[in-house]
Structure formats: structure tokens, C-alpha cells
């Protein structure tokens, strides 16, 4: 005799699925969007319904968090709203924390070769912090934001200077990059220290 678990136990989405078509209807996806990415949902405005319907039609069933499936649709969404969705999705599901890197961050030589830690780099609207705090969505340009997970499990977002962005691009190949005053890319001391402390940059042989 076989006993099948209830759908709520299988899908474990955090809300009842019994009377809502198991979360696949546009109305359910709209509720999920407003719950997971509230600022993006707000700034989508009247275009939210069309976005949700397009996502429902093109979404693939896969074992990925809802925000990550939304993130895959971002390239089709014009900036700045697409950039805001990408940032909010990264904050809702940040990369895994590297506790070793955070523990050893105080011993890292800021003048030595560094590389990227467990970080997601997200092109974001200018004044993104104000937007996430309930402010307007800026269309004046973009900024690069590094998203990591802190030791307590919460997301940490740090805006990068142009020099730090260049250093991250050089690190993307996996090689160590020196970012001191005489390094391959000159990044100010205070910013270097902050990025190392957050685990965004780690020692190259870590």
C-alpha cells in the first residue's frame, strides 16, 4: 500500500496550495511576486500583469527558487526595472556564505593577490538603496552592486567603485589580482578593507 504526501508537504512553498492551482495561475504568481520582490512589483506598476502572464507562459518546471526563475527572465526586461528585479532577486537568494573566508578576512594581506569570493555582481539602478527603502526608481544610470551572504545568513549589498568593478572583472577569470596602490588595479584602501571584510574579495589561494 502506497501513501502519497499532501501537495503542501511536497512543494513546501510556505502557503496553502490546495485551492490555488498549485501556484501556477497568474494570480498566484502575482501574489508570489509581490511577496518575494515587493519593490520590483511596485515599480512594475500596470505592467506587472503582462510580466506575470509572460513569465507563466514561459516558465519551466525546475527545482529553483521562484526568484531565480524570475531572474532568468530579466534580460528580456528593459532597464531600470529589469535591473531592480535582478538586484532584489539576488538579495532574496544570495550566494552561500563562505564562513572560512569571513573568519580569515582579518588576516588577509590587502596588498597581496585577491580573487572573488562567493559573490554575485548585479548591475543595479543608481540610488538602489533608496529604491529598496521605498524611494523612487532612478533612470539616470546604473551602478554595480556586490551581493554576498553574511555570517548570520542575511544578504549584504555593497556598491562598487569603478576601480573595484575593473578589479572584479580582472578576477573573474579566477586568477589573483593585486589591488593595492601599485597593483594591477588601484583600489582605495578603505574600499579594499570593506570588500575583504564582507567576503567579496578573498585571498587568491583560499
Amino acid at each position: 500500500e502506497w501513501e502519497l504526501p499532501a501537495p503542501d508537504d511536497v512543494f513546501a512553498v510556505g502557503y496553502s496550495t490546495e485551492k490555488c492551482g498549485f501556484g501556477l495561475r497568474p494570480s498566484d504568481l502575482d501574489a508570489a511576486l509581490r511577496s518575494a520582490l515587493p519593490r520590483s512589483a511596485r515599480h512594475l506598476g500596470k505592467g506587472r500583469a503582462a510580466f506575470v502572464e509572460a513569465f507563466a507562459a514561459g516558465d519551466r518546471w525546475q527545482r529553483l527558487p521562484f526568484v531565480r526563475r524570475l531572474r532568468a527572465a530579466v534580460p528580456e526586461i528593459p532597464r531600470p526595472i529589469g535591473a531592480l528585479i535582478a538586484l532584489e532577486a539576488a538579495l532574496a537568494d544570495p550566494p552561500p556564505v563562505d564562513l572560512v573566508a569571513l573568519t580569515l578576512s582579518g588576516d588577509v594581506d590587502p596588498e597581496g593577490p585577491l580573487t572573488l569570493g562567493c559573490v554575485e555582481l548585479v548591475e543595479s539602478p543608481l540610488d538602489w538603496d533608496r529604491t529598496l527603502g521605498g524611494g523612487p526608481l532612478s533612470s539616470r544610470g546604473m551602478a554595480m552592486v556586490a551581493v554576498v551572504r553574511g555570517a548570520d545568513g542575511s544578504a549584504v549589498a555593497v556598491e562598487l567603485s569603478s576601480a573595484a568593478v575593473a578589479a572584479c572583472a580582472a578576477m573573474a577569470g579566477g586568477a589573483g589580482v593585486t589591488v593595492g596602490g601599485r597593483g594591477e588595479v588601484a583600489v582605495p584602501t578603505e574600499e579594499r578593507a570593506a570588500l575583504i571584510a564582507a567576503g567579496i574579495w578573498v585571498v587568491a589561494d583560499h
Side-chain angles (χ1 to χ4, degrees), residues 33-70:
L33 175 64
R34 287 185 283 111
S35 174
L37 308 179
R39 299 306 179 194
S40 299
R42 171 192 168 197
H43 288 288
L44 276 167
K46 295 180 179 179
R48 194 174 74 229
F51 169 72
V52 166
E53 288 181 7
F55 174 76
D59 185 34
R60 296 182 299 164
W61 285 28
Q62 50 188 327
R63 298 184 68 86
L64 283 176
F66 174 66
V67 292
R68 287 296 166 187
R69 286 153 48 205
L70 281 174

Side-chain angles (χ1 to χ4, degrees), residues 3 29 35 42-43 52-54 56-57 66 93-94 110 121-122 126 144 152-153 171-172 180 186 195:
E3 180 178 348
L29 292 172
S35 174
R42 171 192 168 197
H43 288 288
V52 166
E53 288 181 7
F66 174 66
D93 184 38
L121 303 179
V122 187
L126 284 178
M144 188 63 73
D152 61 355
M171 294 173 185
L195 297 181

